[in-house]
Amino acid sequence: MPYLIPPRTPLTPEQVERGFGYLLALQMGGGAAVAGRAEADPELAFVLLRLAEDIVWPVTAVDEESTDPCADSFALNEVGCVLLSALRDWAGDSPTTAGPGIARSIIRFVENVVPDPEDRGDTRAILETMRDEHLAPAHPVRFSLT
């Protein structure tokens, strides 16, 4: 069964900052750096799940337009579906405990699957780049009527 991402509104800049702030704090300082934050912010699991979808899905989904589908690409697609489905179930069943687990899953995915274009192995830098990329569409477009 494919993983379906329902139509949704983009995360707000505040949500993007909160989610990546949590990821970066966990990455740089470990569990002690984020202790109690998930319990204090019930929306955090939802924000982290949305970030996981935005990070995992583009890397694992079969894209027939840019690649020739093969057994490996379909296997990777299914792994992405399984991971995101498990994270979604966890977030739905226990939002307060899901936040740290989803965050660790995102960090591990970035460390082990997302290619570093400069091959430096700096997960913090990759997460900061992803944060900046997520902030651009999160900011509202301003129109000038002049």
Side-chain angles (χ1 to χ4, degrees), residues 24-92:
L24 289 163
L26 182 62
Q27 171 64 21
M28 300 307 295
V34 295
R37 286 172 66 176
E39 293 81 7
D41 184 359
E43 186 189 39
L44 185 62
F46 163 77
V47 169
L48 290 169
L49 178 61
R50 291 281 304 277
L51 291 177
E53 290 173 343
D54 290 347
I55 293 168
V56 172
W57 193 246
V59 174
T60 62
V62 173
D63 181 6
E64 295 177 13
E65 293 179 14
S66 63
T67 60
D68 291 328
C70 63
D72 290 343
S73 61
F74 286 108
L76 185 59
N77 183 78
E78 286 304 308
V79 168
C81 290
V82 168
L83 173 60
L84 291 172
S85 292
L87 295 178
R88 181 187 281 173
D89 290 347
W90 193 1

Side-chain angles (χ1 to χ4, degrees), residues 3-9 50 53 88:
Y3 184 81
L4 301 175
I5 299 175
R8 57 196 179 155
T9 58
R50 291 281 304 277
E53 290 173 343
R88 181 187 281 173

Side-chain angles (χ1 to χ4, degrees), residues 122-135:
D122 186 359
T123 305
R124 179 189 55 78
I126 296 169
L127 288 170
E128 288 172 344
T129 300
M130 287 180 171
R131 177 196 59 208
D132 296 343
E133 290 171 353
H134 278 79
L135 279 173

